[in-house]
Structure formats: C-alpha cells, structure tokens
Amino acid sequence: MSKTKKQYASPYGKIGDAINELDDRLGIAKGRSLLDKVFPDHWSFMLGEIALYSFIVLLLTGIFLTLYYVPSSSLVTYNGSFMPLVGQKISQAYASSIDLSFSVRGGLLMRQMHHWACDIFVGAILVHMARVFFTGAFRKPRELNWTIGTSLLVLSIAEGFLGYSLPDDLVSGTGIRIAYSIIESIPVVGSYIATFLFGGNFPGTVILGRFFIIHVLLLPLVMLGLVGGHLALLVRQKHTQFPGKGRTETNVVGTPMYPVFMAKTTGFLLVVGGAIALLGAFAEINPIWQFGFYDASRISYAVQPDFYMGFLDGALRIMPAWEFSGFGHTIPLEVFLPSVVFPGIVFALVYAWPGIERKLTGDNELHNLLDRPSLRPKRTAAGATVFALMAILFIASSTDVIANYFKLSLNTVLWDMRILTIIVPLLTYPITLKICREMQFAGAGKRKTTNIVTRTAEGEYVATPAPVYVDDAHHELDALVVPTFVIEGDESHTADAATGVRRAER
Amino acid sequence: MSEHEQRTPVALTGLSADAPHLQPAARRPELVERVITILFAGGIILCLGFGVAYWQNWSSWTLGATMGGGLSLLGIGLIAWGKYLMPRGPFVEERHSLASSEDERTAFAAAIVERGGAVVKRRKVLGGMLGTGLGIFGVVSLFPVVRSLGPMPKGTFFHTDWKKGTYLVDITGRRVNVADLALGSIVTVFPEGMQDTDNGQAVDQTVLIRLSNQDFTTKKGRESWAPMGYVAYSKLCTHLGCPVGLYEQELELLVCPCHQSMFNVANGAMPTFGPAPRPLPQLPLMVDANGYLQSQSDFTEPVGPGFWERRS
C-alpha cells in the first residue's frame, strides 16, 4: 500500500498526477469553478435537456442510416428480402430504405428511432420554448439565446421535412410535390427557385441528392454550431431560477455541476435514449413498405405529415380558393398566403417578441428570476393565443379524417374549422387574461402543507397545519457555497488556498 | 479497509462532513442504494442481452427492448443516485455581473472609434474600393452558385408531351380503345412512350373517364373534345399538383386526396369544393379509324398549380 502511494507526486494519487500533467499544459485547474457551477432545480428546466438528448440520438442513429442509404432516384430492379417488391423497378433511394428496414441488422430499429427522435426533438423544442416564453426567461440578457432557439426550431422543422422526403416512398414523394408547388407560388421568383432547386420541372433527377447533403451535412453542421452557442450562452449567463427561499437576482441556488447535476443529467440522457429505443421497438412509425414507392401519378388517401407540418397543411386546407390573376400574371394566394406569408409572420413575431415586449413594457432591466405566468397576464394570454391558433390549424389538417370518423359532411367540418380558426384565438386571449388575474388572488402556486384533522370529544373535526419535518425533502435549508474537501492534515492546503481559488472565479 | 476510506475529508469552507447539506436527500439511503443496485443489475443484464440479440439476429423489437430497457434502467438508477444519495444541498453561487466597468467600456469604445478612425480617415478611398470589390464579388459569386443549380423556367410549366395525334396509353403502355372502358369507369393515361418517364408520370398524367352521355360537351367551344362520352382531364390538381386520384362516380366528381378539392367532371372540371382555384385543364380527344383514342393537341392552358408567369 505505502509503496504505491510513493509513486505519486500529488496527495490525490493517480488522478491528482494526471490533473497536474494536464494543468502544466492547459491550465485546467483554473476551470474548477465549472465543477462548482450551481444549476437550479425545477422540473421544467429538463424540457430543454430532452431536446438536447434527442438531438444526440438523432446524430447517432443518423450516422448509422447514412452508411446504408443511397440518395439516388435512378431505377433498379429490386431483389431483396421484401417479397412484395421483388422484380419491381424502384428507385435506389426506396430500395436502400427498404433494405435498411428488412435486411440490415438493427436497421429497422435505427430508422424508427431516428424518426421518433425527430418528433420528440421538435416537440421538446416547442414545449421548452413555451416554458421560456411563459416564464419570461427570454428577457434581457437572454434575447440572443431566444433567437438562437427559434432558429433551431425553424431548422429542425426543415430537417424533419428533408429527412421525411428521403426514402422516396409514395407519401414523402407527395410531400415534395406539394413543397414544389408552394415554391412555385412565390410571386416573380417562384418558378426560378423551383427549377433551380429541382434542376427543372418536378420531379427531376437531382433533388434526392441535394436534399440528402443538406439533411446530413449542411443543416446538422449549422444546428450543431447553434446548439453549442445556445449552451455556451447558458453557461456564461447562468441559468434563470424561480423565486424562492434565498433566491435573488444575483445568485443561483440549486445543485452543483459535479457530481450531482452531472449524475442526474447523464442519467436523463440514458433515459431519453432508452425511451426512444423503446418507442422505436414497439411503436411503428412511417412504415414505408406499406406506402409503396413514389410514382407521381399515384397517391394515397388520408395520410398526414409529421405533426410539426400539421399547421401548414391545416392552413392550406381551410384557405378559400382566392387566386389572383390579372396584368398577365397569376398569384396563387390560396397557396402563397397560408404556406409562405403566414408562417413567415408567425416566426417573425416569435423572433421579435423580446424586442416587442421590451418596447411595450419599457422594461430594460436584467432579469434572472423567472415570472409566474399568472403574474404576467398579457404575455401569457398572447402566447396562449398563438398556441391556440396553431393547435386549431393542426386539427384542421385532418378535416377529411374527422368528417369520415364522425360521419359529418366535409363541408361542415371545413366551415367549422374556418370559423374556429378565427374564434378560438380571439376567445383564448380574454379567457387566459381572466384566468391569470383570478389566479393572482387565489394564492395559487404556494406549496400546500399537510393538515392534521382531529376529532374532538364533542365530535367536531378540526384541521390544523402540520409542523414541518426537519428532514422533509421539501423543507429547504439555507443555501451554502459549494464546499471543497481536502484530506485532513494535508499541509499544502489551507483555507487561504481555498479563498484564493474562489477569488479566481468569474 | 482501503486507504481511501481512512481519509477524513474536511470542507475548506468550514463545513463539517456531517452538516445537513451534505447528507443524502433520501430518508433511508440503504434502501435506495439497494434499489439502485437492482436497477443497475437489470441494466447490465439488458445491455448484455442487446449484444446477444444483435449477435443472434433476433427481431427488431428484441433489439429495441433490450437496448431501451438497459439504457433506461441505468439512467433511472443514475438519476436516483444523484437525486437521493448525493448531498441534498441546496448550494448557492453568486451571479457576477457580466457587464464591464465604466472605464473598460470607455477604453473599448475609444479603441474601436479612435484607432479605427485614425486609419480609415486617411484612407477613405482605399476602404471604399475594398468594400466595393468584396461587395461585387459577393453578388457575382451568387450567379455560379444559384444560377448553375438548374435551368431557367422558360416554357417549363406551359407545355406537356401531348401533341396532335398522340395515342393515349395506360401505365403498362397499352393503347386505350373506345371499347375498353365500362360506362362510368376511369383510367389514368399517358402520352404513348411517356408512361415510364418522370415527366410523363409527373406532368403529362391525365384521367380518362367514360360518361354515359354519348354526345358530351363540357363547355362551349369544346363540342368535339369528348367523343363517345370519353372525357380527359389533367390529373394534376390546380391547387398543389397532387394527382386527383379519387373519382366519385355517382356525382361525377374528381377528388384530390391532399386537400379535398373537388372537380365537376360534367361541367368542365370546375372546382366545386376545396382550395383549388381553377378547373382541371381538359385534353381534347379524337378517335382513330380502329377506335383508339388520341389527343387532338396539347392542353390549351398550363397544367397544375398556379405560378407568376401563368396568364389568366
């Protein structure tokens, strides 16, 4: 025992020596404050982590898929293990996607995990964004991170659409056809963009290759950079926290990075990965072999896009057939307004919101403490209105399915959706405002304490609040600075050394 | 007892090791530890199982179940470890202002404005020229990047492969005879020779319907377009270009499954419902001496969705 101890220069043994060597070269010991970094605890702070970890799953499963997928629309005679297609002439893209599903070991699982991870990624971004919006976490100094996050949402939707298009099955091909027509609808430059992008009239021969390289290289690179920037800003500006015991604008109360937060967040990474694997195993998604290969003259019925495209499809459905034509030109407003102008306005509004709110409230202060949504009724109502509009449009993307299922006339459903699209957001605003204002007086959000009910000798029941248990996990102690430990009797460390380290912190 | 356990850790900040902040959050840590041990054991077994499932080429769901279960159990155990067995805290960290001092800001602004100004003032023309050159390069380099991607649209959206005397063939390439279709039935047709091509399937696709009315006119000026009750319309929806793939026989409506636009076959394919703004273009038909159907000409207007250059 004592022999091995002598081999190490540092009193902390092998690890201490390794740290010394690294510090000689990189000065890593100065980064100790990262280990002590405190993360505030709240369940809603985990929503962004879901997005981050599903993004990691997307990268890993995506790398697997690129090893087998062939981005080519040239035709081959299929001769693989999926019997219904044997002998048919299908595109290499579709053939390789079918082979990925049936011949490559673990391929089907990876494909389904990739698709599920995508839906979870976009969904988690939306919910995370809702948290950030309704609690006011986007306010100064975090406007830039709101902008980065919004860009990530836009890019993730684009990535989702591109990836969905790659297998060249009947449903995805129809999606590309619709995208082509939407580009074509843009006044003046639409036809040019469409023929440039697709190398001619739809479908052309180049689009799968172009979508592929954008999907697997270009956008992932941009997104990786944005995710890195998003996290770097989070570390630099430190996380926001809810008001509470000992929490002020100038501190952070929670758990330290090492080891507590690291254990919890790594565990969460594994759980997110595990959950996606279970979904990929048990919940079938995008069964391209049932749809068949893409043939521009065939179409399937009652097929919906992935959920994040739903609002666009719904908007296209409920839009009246108002085409403008005159002066020798045509503007297909029935396409251009719902699928280009409308999402443009919505996302512009989202990007601009921190600025709009600063302007409206005249509030230019730094904010590190979060708002309770009910305490900011107007902001909450505005956000709820946008969400309500998007939700109605999402529902409107299945008018035909609703009409079939409930045995209603398609016309009735369509007109109901048109009316609801206007009425529901208009009602959402005042109702949310009212709910928020009522909640302010109800003491909502306060932790409820246990009541002890006793019966007196006369039979009367009396409720008295229970005393707080000292070791109750919910009973918070006063927060302390993260302690550093040394070995007792280690002469090289003194309290001065510790304070010295602290002084070096930013 | 190992050497490590003999050490007595002391907090430099004066916190003793038995302070409440350093105690695990769990009331019964031994129990939690036992649960985590079980979770981890399960995780190890399932991860091994994943390897076995892969090696043995078991089904996709076995792979996913072992991998997902294994990762989840390890993850849940690790979260429980962090949440219940590590110091309960809470701990606090000061938030230092990111903003610099007034002096630092002034010095920074001075460096940018004054030092920069001293250089640029004397060399305004040079700076302007450099800016112009880079600007020109930026604009000019867009041409090869964007312009080379594909051809100019020109007449792309105005013409199809239908010409005078083109035979109508089905997807297998067989010519369509007037005796082929039962009354009220429908078939997708292509210009002969184009049925296997991308353009044929995507642009030229046409629906041929046989109506019971033998002397059929869909619109004024189209008296000769529908011989013997055969009527042909472009299959591209005028809304977003989906194939108009559904036919409601009794009402004589063509329906687009994408956004439910409906077109009245008997009335020049006028849209009667949904977002489609224009009728489907009609293909003028004729019958040759042997009873085979031919087109009289191309469509008389662009097929498919609307675009800027389309004349009304």
Side-chain angles (χ1 to χ4, degrees), chain A residues 478-502:
Chain A
D478 289 321
L480 294 178
V481 171
V482 183
T484 298
F485 297 96
V486 294
I487 307 164
E488 196 172 32
D490 182 354
E491 300 291 321
S492 62
H493 297 268
T494 62
D496 286 346
T499 44
V501 171
R502 298 217 164 271

Side-chain angles (χ1 to χ4, degrees), chain A residues 1 5 11 33 36-38 105-106 108-110 113 142 174 177-178 180-182 184-188 191-192 195-196 199-205 210 236-241 249-254 256 259-260 263-264 266-268 270-271 273-275 277-278 281-282 295-301 313 316-317 319 321 323 325-326 328-332 334-335 368 399-400 410-411 414 470-473 475-488 494-495 498 502 506, chain B residues 1-3 7-13 15-17 19-22 25 27 50 53-58 60-69 71-76 78-79 81-83 86-99 146-154 156-157 159 171 188 190 196 198-203 205 235-236 238-246 256-260 262 273-278 303-312:
Chain A
M1 276 288 187
K5 194 183 177 183
S33 60
D36 292 358
K37 192 173 174 50
V38 169
R105 209 174 273 205
L108 180 61
L109 178 65
M110 289 295 150
M113 278 178 71
R142 296 185 178 76
T174 309
R177 167 73 243 194
I178 292 174
Y180 191 96
S181 305
I182 289 174
E184 222 182 312
S185 80
I186 302 170
V188 187
S191 335
Y192 292 85
T195 53
F196 287 177
N201 203 346
F202 180 82
T205 52
R210 287 184 182 171
R236 178 122 177 104
Q237 299 179 324
K238 295 202 171 81
H239 207 289
T240 51
Q241 60 187 352
E249 287 282 1
T250 55
N251 72 4
V252 194
V253 175
V260 186
K264 288 204 272 193
T266 310
F268 198 54
L270 297 176
V271 170
L278 290 175
F282 294 108
D295 169 340
S297 61
R298 289 180 207 200
I299 186 143
S300 191
Y301 165 72
D313 200 55
L316 280 165
R317 281 183 191 212
M319 182 73 192
E323 186 171 74
S325 61
H329 290 290
T330 298
I331 305 176
E334 81 284 359
V335 176
N368 294 317
T399 41
D400 54 335
L410 191 56
N411 194 43
L414 180 77
V470 180
D471 57 348
D472 184 350
H475 173 62
E476 238 184 46
L477 302 161
D478 289 321
L480 294 178
V481 171
V482 183
T484 298
F485 297 96
V486 294
I487 307 164
E488 196 172 32
T494 62
R502 298 217 164 271
R506 279 286 303 165
Chain B
M1 224 182 194
S2 81
E3 188 193 354
R7 293 174 170 175
T8 316
V10 173
L12 280 182
T13 45
L15 195 65
S16 75
H21 288 75
L22 302 179
R27 272 186 219 167
F50 176 59
Y54 189 86
W55 181 36
Q56 295 290 321
N57 199 11
W58 286 341
S60 178
W61 72 263
T62 325
L63 285 171
T66 47
M67 175 167 132
L71 288 179
S72 299
L73 289 184
L74 292 178
I76 294 168
L78 188 50
I79 293 173
W81 188 354
K83 195 169 166 62
M86 290 187 184
R88 60 186 285 195
F91 297 103
V92 66
E93 187 184 20
E94 288 309 304
R95 223 186 256 278
H96 301 276
S97 168
L98 286 175
V146 175
R147 176 61 196 92
S148 305
L149 284 174
M152 291 296 228
K154 283 184 196 147
T156 307
F157 303 127
H159 303 290
I171 188 76
T188 302
F190 307 89
D196 284 333
D198 280 342
N199 208 52
Q201 290 175 355
V203 179
Q205 51 174 317
K235 201 181 175 183
L236 282 178
T238 53
H239 180 223
L240 285 165
C242 290
V244 184
L246 298 171
C256 178
C258 283
H259 302 97
Q260 291 78 47
M262 297 181 190
F273 180 83
R278 269 172 285 110
V303 297
F307 53 98
W308 174 251
E309 292 86 353
R310 185 184 203 283
R311 283 173 293 277
S312 43

